[in-house]
Amino acid sequence: MVPADLIDVGMGFHTREDAQTNLYGPQASQYIMAKQGVYDEPWFARSWLFKVFPRAENTLVHAKAIVARAGEQQSKGWMFIGSHNFTPAAWGRLNVQKPPYYNNYEFGVVLTGVDYTFHSMEHVTSIMWNNQNISLPFNPIWQPYGRNDIPYFNDQ
């Protein structure tokens, strides 16, 4: 049984396989600005990565999303949807001697009080928020990364 106070957080991001096999090829893909060795480190939050299934088949989701679900049924929570890429330009570069350096600005929205109760689990492309049906470019029911799944990295 899931504890009533549990908050489960997941970050949706396409896999390397998705990036290489989508309709538009890897050049249309976003990547995590890190080397694969970082992903292989024990401290990397692999359990937070989830596969995202876009509304249009054989494409990728450009929106970046973080989902949090709370409670015993995991039916309520919040969602962050933004334009930020997973790069130092978007999140900042740390420097011990100076404040973080940002060279671009991104936009994001946090929706609180999201209802993750779905009447049908097939072809879900929206959530309920503030008693409104909010359409999404992806299915909000995500699948955890499998044993052999890795995110799409910039290995440069």
Side-chain angles (χ1 to χ4, degrees):
M1 183 164 182
V2 178
D5 61 349
L6 175 73
I7 298 176
D8 190 21
V9 177
M11 180 173 61
F13 198 76
H14 51 261
T15 65
R16 177 175 284 171
E17 180 182 356
D18 293 335
Q20 293 171 341
T21 61
N22 78 84
L23 184 62
Y24 303 102
Q27 65 274 11
S29 305
Q30 297 294 313
Y31 52 80
I32 294 177
M33 186 68 173
K35 297 194 181 295
Q36 185 174 337
V38 171
Y39 179 75
D40 295 333
E41 293 290 335
W43 49 261
F44 191 87
R46 283 184 290 284
S47 63
W48 287 20
L49 287 174
F50 287 78
K51 293 181 185 182
V52 179
F53 301 100
R55 182 184 293 190
E57 280 189 50
N58 204 21
T59 62
L60 298 173
V61 175
H62 181 73
K64 312 324 177 283
I66 300 172
V67 169
R69 297 175 188 220
E72 291 180 32
Q73 305 299 315
Q74 299 284 286
S75 61
K76 303 286 185 201
W78 55 264
M79 179 180 282
F80 171 83
I81 302 172
S83 64
H84 59 285
N85 295 320
F86 294 105
T87 64
W91 292 94
R93 294 185 200 314
L94 295 179
N95 184 328
V96 177
Q97 307 298 325
K98 301 176 188 173
Y101 172 74
Y102 304 94
N103 61 341
N104 73 350
Y105 296 89
E106 304 290 337
F107 181 75
V109 176
V110 176
L111 301 175
T112 60
V114 172
D115 183 349
Y116 290 110
T117 308
F118 304 105
H119 300 290
S120 168
M121 300 304 259
E122 199 172 321
H123 305 297
V124 177
T125 57
S126 64
I127 55 172
M128 289 300 291
W129 175 71
N130 201 23
N131 293 322
Q132 298 290 316
N133 192 25
I134 305 297
S135 181
L136 299 170
F138 54 84
N139 183 326
I141 302 169
W142 294 351
Q143 184 181 86
Y145 269 35
R147 173 177 277 153
N148 297 320
D149 290 326
I150 59 172
Y152 187 50
F153 286 104
N154 177 3
D155 290 326
Q156 318 232 348

